[in-house]
mmCIF file of all heavy atoms in Angstrom:
data_model
loop_
_atom_site.group_PDB
_atom_site.id
_atom_site.type_symbol
_atom_site.label_atom_id
_atom_site.label_comp_id
_atom_site.label_asym_id
_atom_site.label_seq_id
_atom_site.Cartn_x
_atom_site.Cartn_y
_atom_site.Cartn_z
ATOM 1 N N ALA A 158 -52.971 15.935 25.736
ATOM 2 C CA ALA A 158 -52.055 16.795 26.477
ATOM 3 C C ALA A 158 -51.917 18.121 25.733
ATOM 4 O O ALA A 158 -52.574 18.355 24.718
ATOM 5 C CB ALA A 158 -50.700 16.106 26.618
ATOM 6 N N SER A 159 -51.062 18.975 26.234
ATOM 7 C CA SER A 159 -50.762 20.231 25.535
ATOM 8 C C SER A 159 -49.518 20.046 24.686
ATOM 9 O O SER A 159 -48.567 19.348 25.089
ATOM 10 C CB SER A 159 -50.537 21.362 26.539
ATOM 11 O OG SER A 159 -51.732 21.673 27.222
ATOM 12 N N GLU A 160 -49.526 20.662 23.536
ATOM 13 C CA GLU A 160 -48.370 20.617 22.645
ATOM 14 C C GLU A 160 -47.162 21.206 23.362
ATOM 15 O O GLU A 160 -47.239 22.270 23.981
ATOM 16 C CB GLU A 160 -48.662 21.399 21.372
ATOM 17 C CG GLU A 160 -47.544 21.415 20.354
ATOM 18 C CD GLU A 160 -47.231 20.032 19.830
ATOM 19 O OE1 GLU A 160 -48.108 19.423 19.199
ATOM 20 O OE2 GLU A 160 -46.085 19.580 20.051
ATOM 21 N N GLU A 161 -46.041 20.501 23.296
ATOM 22 C CA GLU A 161 -44.833 20.964 24.003
ATOM 23 C C GLU A 161 -44.001 21.918 23.165
ATOM 24 O O GLU A 161 -43.286 22.766 23.701
ATOM 25 C CB GLU A 161 -43.992 19.756 24.423
ATOM 26 C CG GLU A 161 -44.682 18.859 25.448
ATOM 27 C CD GLU A 161 -43.852 17.654 25.819
ATOM 28 O OE1 GLU A 161 -43.394 16.932 24.904
ATOM 29 O OE2 GLU A 161 -43.666 17.437 27.031
ATOM 30 N N ASN A 162 -44.081 21.803 21.858
ATOM 31 C CA ASN A 162 -43.223 22.600 20.984
ATOM 32 C C ASN A 162 -43.889 23.897 20.537
ATOM 33 O O ASN A 162 -43.859 24.270 19.367
ATOM 34 C CB ASN A 162 -42.811 21.773 19.760
ATOM 35 C CG ASN A 162 -42.049 20.523 20.156
ATOM 36 O OD1 ASN A 162 -41.202 20.551 21.044
ATOM 37 N ND2 ASN A 162 -42.367 19.420 19.497
ATOM 38 N N VAL A 163 -44.519 24.572 21.496
ATOM 39 C CA VAL A 163 -45.141 25.868 21.204
ATOM 40 C C VAL A 163 -44.764 26.832 22.308
ATOM 41 O O VAL A 163 -44.263 26.448 23.369
ATOM 42 C CB VAL A 163 -46.686 25.765 21.116
ATOM 43 C CG1 VAL A 163 -47.112 24.885 19.960
ATOM 44 C CG2 VAL A 163 -47.273 25.263 22.429
ATOM 45 N N ASP A 164 -45.008 28.103 22.054
ATOM 46 C CA ASP A 164 -44.775 29.122 23.062
ATOM 47 C C ASP A 164 -45.565 28.786 24.321
ATOM 48 O O ASP A 164 -46.709 28.325 24.255
ATOM 49 C CB ASP A 164 -45.208 30.486 22.511
ATOM 50 C CG ASP A 164 -44.934 31.610 23.491
ATOM 51 O OD1 ASP A 164 -45.822 31.888 24.308
ATOM 52 O OD2 ASP A 164 -43.837 32.191 23.440
ATOM 53 N N GLU A 165 -44.997 29.026 25.481
ATOM 54 C CA GLU A 165 -45.643 28.685 26.747
ATOM 55 C C GLU A 165 -47.020 29.330 26.878
ATOM 56 O O GLU A 165 -47.939 28.752 27.443
ATOM 57 C CB GLU A 165 -44.754 29.129 27.915
ATOM 58 C CG GLU A 165 -45.276 28.681 29.273
ATOM 59 C CD GLU A 165 -44.389 29.144 30.409
ATOM 60 O OE1 GLU A 165 -43.696 30.173 30.237
ATOM 61 O OE2 GLU A 165 -44.386 28.486 31.460
ATOM 62 N N ASP A 166 -47.168 30.538 26.339
ATOM 63 C CA ASP A 166 -48.442 31.242 26.446
ATOM 64 C C ASP A 166 -49.515 30.664 25.527
ATOM 65 O O ASP A 166 -50.683 31.040 25.621
ATOM 66 C CB ASP A 166 -48.241 32.735 26.129
ATOM 67 C CG ASP A 166 -47.420 33.434 27.208
ATOM 68 O OD1 ASP A 166 -47.440 32.952 28.352
ATOM 69 O OD2 ASP A 166 -46.761 34.445 26.909
ATOM 70 N N SER A 167 -49.129 29.769 24.607
ATOM 71 C CA SER A 167 -50.078 29.173 23.665
ATOM 72 C C SER A 167 -50.432 27.731 23.999
ATOM 73 O O SER A 167 -51.331 27.158 23.379
ATOM 74 C CB SER A 167 -49.501 29.220 22.238
ATOM 75 O OG SER A 167 -49.182 30.539 21.852
ATOM 76 N N ALA A 168 -49.743 27.149 24.974
ATOM 77 C CA ALA A 168 -49.922 25.722 25.266
ATOM 78 C C ALA A 168 -51.354 25.396 25.668
ATOM 79 O O ALA A 168 -51.865 24.312 25.356
ATOM 80 C CB ALA A 168 -48.956 25.294 26.370
ATOM 81 N N TRP A 169 -52.037 26.326 26.338
ATOM 82 C CA TRP A 169 -53.399 26.059 26.822
ATOM 83 C C TRP A 169 -54.378 25.763 25.690
ATOM 84 O O TRP A 169 -55.386 25.096 25.907
ATOM 85 C CB TRP A 169 -53.915 27.258 27.634
ATOM 86 C CG TRP A 169 -54.026 28.520 26.826
ATOM 87 C CD1 TRP A 169 -53.058 29.453 26.629
ATOM 88 C CD2 TRP A 169 -55.173 28.977 26.100
ATOM 89 N NE1 TRP A 169 -53.512 30.477 25.820
ATOM 90 C CE2 TRP A 169 -54.814 30.202 25.489
ATOM 91 C CE3 TRP A 169 -56.463 28.481 25.911
ATOM 92 C CZ2 TRP A 169 -55.699 30.936 24.692
ATOM 93 C CZ3 TRP A 169 -57.338 29.213 25.124
ATOM 94 C CH2 TRP A 169 -56.960 30.416 24.521
ATOM 95 N N SER A 170 -54.089 26.237 24.491
ATOM 96 C CA SER A 170 -55.016 26.062 23.364
ATOM 97 C C SER A 170 -54.519 25.063 22.335
ATOM 98 O O SER A 170 -55.150 24.893 21.291
ATOM 99 C CB SER A 170 -55.249 27.410 22.670
ATOM 100 O OG SER A 170 -54.051 27.888 22.074
ATOM 101 N N SER A 171 -53.399 24.381 22.610
ATOM 102 C CA SER A 171 -52.743 23.542 21.604
ATOM 103 C C SER A 171 -52.785 22.069 21.989
ATOM 104 O O SER A 171 -51.946 21.588 22.767
ATOM 105 C CB SER A 171 -51.286 23.989 21.417
ATOM 106 O OG SER A 171 -51.218 25.354 21.065
ATOM 107 N N PRO A 172 -53.768 21.312 21.488
ATOM 108 C CA PRO A 172 -53.920 19.908 21.884
ATOM 109 C C PRO A 172 -52.919 18.983 21.212
ATOM 110 O O PRO A 172 -52.573 19.154 20.040
ATOM 111 C CB PRO A 172 -55.348 19.584 21.422
ATOM 112 C CG PRO A 172 -55.571 20.491 20.247
ATOM 113 C CD PRO A 172 -54.815 21.757 20.560
ATOM 114 N N LYS A 173 -52.455 17.988 21.979
ATOM 115 C CA LYS A 173 -51.567 16.967 21.433
ATOM 116 C C LYS A 173 -51.978 15.607 21.991
ATOM 117 O O LYS A 173 -51.860 15.369 23.197
ATOM 118 C CB LYS A 173 -50.109 17.247 21.796
ATOM 119 C CG LYS A 173 -49.141 16.166 21.290
ATOM 120 C CD LYS A 173 -47.718 16.478 21.643
ATOM 121 C CE LYS A 173 -46.775 15.346 21.213
ATOM 122 N NZ LYS A 173 -46.880 15.050 19.770
ATOM 123 N N VAL A 189 -58.708 21.731 29.639
ATOM 124 C CA VAL A 189 -59.439 21.678 28.371
ATOM 125 C C VAL A 189 -58.677 22.473 27.317
ATOM 126 O O VAL A 189 -58.313 23.622 27.550
ATOM 127 C CB VAL A 189 -60.853 22.265 28.544
ATOM 128 C CG1 VAL A 189 -61.601 22.280 27.217
ATOM 129 C CG2 VAL A 189 -61.633 21.483 29.591
ATOM 130 N N LYS A 190 -58.422 21.840 26.171
ATOM 131 C CA LYS A 190 -57.790 22.555 25.066
ATOM 132 C C LYS A 190 -58.871 22.859 24.038
ATOM 133 O O LYS A 190 -59.369 21.946 23.376
ATOM 134 C CB LYS A 190 -56.672 21.723 24.428
ATOM 135 C CG LYS A 190 -55.491 21.452 25.363
ATOM 136 C CD LYS A 190 -55.779 20.286 26.276
ATOM 137 C CE LYS A 190 -54.648 20.034 27.261
ATOM 138 N NZ LYS A 190 -55.020 18.965 28.214
ATOM 139 N N PRO A 191 -59.276 24.110 23.884
ATOM 140 C CA PRO A 191 -60.481 24.448 23.115
ATOM 141 C C PRO A 191 -60.293 24.508 21.603
ATOM 142 O O PRO A 191 -60.801 25.401 20.935
ATOM 143 C CB PRO A 191 -60.846 25.829 23.684
ATOM 144 C CG PRO A 191 -59.519 26.433 24.016
ATOM 145 C CD PRO A 191 -58.667 25.301 24.508
ATOM 146 N N ALA A 192 -59.561 23.551 21.053
ATOM 147 C CA ALA A 192 -59.375 23.466 19.602
ATOM 148 C C ALA A 192 -59.552 22.012 19.182
ATOM 149 O O ALA A 192 -59.408 21.094 20.004
ATOM 150 C CB ALA A 192 -57.994 23.976 19.199
ATOM 151 N N THR A 249 -58.640 25.783 15.059
ATOM 152 C CA THR A 249 -57.206 25.676 15.331
ATOM 153 C C THR A 249 -56.887 26.372 16.649
ATOM 154 O O THR A 249 -57.671 27.175 17.159
ATOM 155 C CB THR A 249 -56.377 26.351 14.223
ATOM 156 O OG1 THR A 249 -56.619 27.769 14.264
ATOM 157 C CG2 THR A 249 -56.738 25.798 12.846
ATOM 158 N N PRO A 250 -55.710 26.091 17.223
ATOM 159 C CA PRO A 250 -55.296 26.815 18.429
ATOM 160 C C PRO A 250 -55.264 28.322 18.222
ATOM 161 O O PRO A 250 -55.622 29.087 19.126
ATOM 162 C CB PRO A 250 -53.899 26.255 18.706
ATOM 163 C CG PRO A 250 -53.923 24.875 18.121
ATOM 164 C CD PRO A 250 -54.767 25.001 16.883
ATOM 165 N N GLU A 251 -54.839 28.733 17.039
ATOM 166 C CA GLU A 251 -54.772 30.173 16.754
ATOM 167 C C GLU A 251 -56.155 30.806 16.768
ATOM 168 O O GLU A 251 -56.332 31.941 17.240
ATOM 169 C CB GLU A 251 -54.095 30.404 15.397
ATOM 170 C CG GLU A 251 -52.626 30.023 15.332
ATOM 171 C CD GLU A 251 -52.388 28.505 15.284
ATOM 172 O OE1 GLU A 251 -53.310 27.763 14.881
ATOM 173 O OE2 GLU A 251 -51.282 28.077 15.656
ATOM 174 N N ALA A 253 -58.676 29.754 18.592
ATOM 175 C CA ALA A 253 -59.079 29.824 20.003
ATOM 176 C C ALA A 253 -58.453 31.033 20.679
ATOM 177 O O ALA A 253 -59.113 31.743 21.456
ATOM 178 C CB ALA A 253 -58.662 28.544 20.724
ATOM 179 N N GLN A 254 -57.200 31.288 20.362
ATOM 180 C CA GLN A 254 -56.528 32.457 20.928
ATOM 181 C C GLN A 254 -57.166 33.748 20.433
ATOM 182 O O GLN A 254 -57.392 34.686 21.210
ATOM 183 C CB GLN A 254 -55.051 32.419 20.569
ATOM 184 C CG GLN A 254 -54.298 31.257 21.204
ATOM 185 C CD GLN A 254 -52.974 30.983 20.547
ATOM 186 O OE1 GLN A 254 -52.284 31.892 20.083
ATOM 187 N NE2 GLN A 254 -52.583 29.718 20.482
ATOM 188 N N GLU A 255 -57.479 33.791 19.136
ATOM 189 C CA GLU A 255 -58.109 34.993 18.583
ATOM 190 C C GLU A 255 -59.466 35.245 19.229
ATOM 191 O O GLU A 255 -59.830 36.391 19.518
ATOM 192 C CB GLU A 255 -58.279 34.862 17.065
ATOM 193 C CG GLU A 255 -58.880 36.119 16.431
ATOM 194 C CD GLU A 255 -59.147 35.961 14.945
ATOM 195 O OE1 GLU A 255 -58.856 34.882 14.390
ATOM 196 O OE2 GLU A 255 -59.670 36.916 14.346
ATOM 197 N N LEU A 257 -60.343 34.568 22.207
ATOM 198 C CA LEU A 257 -60.136 35.117 23.540
ATOM 199 C C LEU A 257 -59.706 36.581 23.482
ATOM 200 O O LEU A 257 -60.238 37.432 24.202
ATOM 201 C CB LEU A 257 -59.088 34.291 24.274
ATOM 202 C CG LEU A 257 -59.099 34.381 25.792
ATOM 203 C CD1 LEU A 257 -60.474 34.036 26.343
ATOM 204 C CD2 LEU A 257 -58.048 33.465 26.379
ATOM 205 N N TRP A 258 -58.766 36.874 22.599
ATOM 206 C CA TRP A 258 -58.267 38.256 22.524
ATOM 207 C C TRP A 258 -59.372 39.216 22.071
ATOM 208 O O TRP A 258 -59.454 40.350 22.547
ATOM 209 C CB TRP A 258 -57.073 38.369 21.589
ATOM 210 C CG TRP A 258 -55.967 37.369 21.769
ATOM 211 C CD1 TRP A 258 -55.168 36.864 20.800
ATOM 212 C CD2 TRP A 258 -55.507 36.763 22.993
ATOM 213 N NE1 TRP A 258 -54.270 35.970 21.322
ATOM 214 C CE2 TRP A 258 -54.448 35.886 22.663
ATOM 215 C CE3 TRP A 258 -55.913 36.854 24.330
ATOM 216 C CZ2 TRP A 258 -53.778 35.134 23.614
ATOM 217 C CZ3 TRP A 258 -55.250 36.086 25.291
ATOM 218 C CH2 TRP A 258 -54.202 35.248 24.934
ATOM 219 N N LYS A 269 -52.031 38.773 30.506
ATOM 220 C CA LYS A 269 -52.267 37.741 31.493
ATOM 221 C C LYS A 269 -51.977 36.361 30.906
ATOM 222 O O LYS A 269 -52.272 36.115 29.735
ATOM 223 C CB LYS A 269 -53.717 37.806 31.985
ATOM 224 C CG LYS A 269 -54.025 39.089 32.743
ATOM 225 C CD LYS A 269 -55.504 39.218 33.069
ATOM 226 C CE LYS A 269 -55.765 40.500 33.856
ATOM 227 N NZ LYS A 269 -57.211 40.737 34.078
ATOM 228 N N LYS A 270 -51.434 35.470 31.707
ATOM 229 C CA LYS A 270 -51.124 34.121 31.240
ATOM 230 C C LYS A 270 -52.360 33.240 31.385
ATOM 231 O O LYS A 270 -52.749 32.851 32.484
ATOM 232 C CB LYS A 270 -49.962 33.526 32.018
ATOM 233 C CG LYS A 270 -49.555 32.147 31.490
ATOM 234 C CD LYS A 270 -48.354 31.595 32.208
ATOM 235 C CE LYS A 270 -47.998 30.206 31.656
ATOM 236 N NZ LYS A 270 -46.827 29.632 32.357
ATOM 237 N N VAL A 271 -52.965 32.920 30.262
ATOM 238 C CA VAL A 271 -54.211 32.155 30.250
ATOM 239 C C VAL A 271 -53.948 30.681 30.559
ATOM 240 O O VAL A 271 -52.984 30.088 30.062
ATOM 241 C CB VAL A 271 -54.909 32.299 28.876
ATOM 242 C CG1 VAL A 271 -56.130 31.392 28.790
ATOM 243 C CG2 VAL A 271 -55.302 33.754 28.638
ATOM 244 N N LEU A 272 -54.843 30.104 31.361
ATOM 245 C CA LEU A 272 -54.793 28.677 31.665
ATOM 246 C C LEU A 272 -55.928 27.912 30.988
ATOM 247 O O LEU A 272 -55.851 26.704 30.819
ATOM 248 C CB LEU A 272 -54.867 28.451 33.179
ATOM 249 C CG LEU A 272 -53.752 29.093 34.006
ATOM 250 C CD1 LEU A 272 -54.039 28.938 35.492
ATOM 251 C CD2 LEU A 272 -52.404 28.486 33.653
ATOM 252 N N GLY A 273 -56.988 28.624 30.595
ATOM 253 C CA GLY A 273 -58.117 27.994 29.923
ATOM 254 C C GLY A 273 -59.353 28.869 30.006
ATOM 255 O O GLY A 273 -59.366 29.884 30.711
#
Side-chain angles (χ1 to χ4, degrees):
S159 293
E160 181 63 63
E161 295 178 308
N162 300 319
V163 296
D164 183 271
E165 186 181 26
D166 292 334
S167 303
W169 63 271
S170 65
S171 303
K173 178 179 176 56
V189 177
K190 295 82 183 175
T249 67
E251 293 74 22
Q254 294 163 34
E255 182 184 359
L257 201 55
W258 311 148
K269 295 173 179 174
K270 184 177 179 181
V271 174
L272 300 173

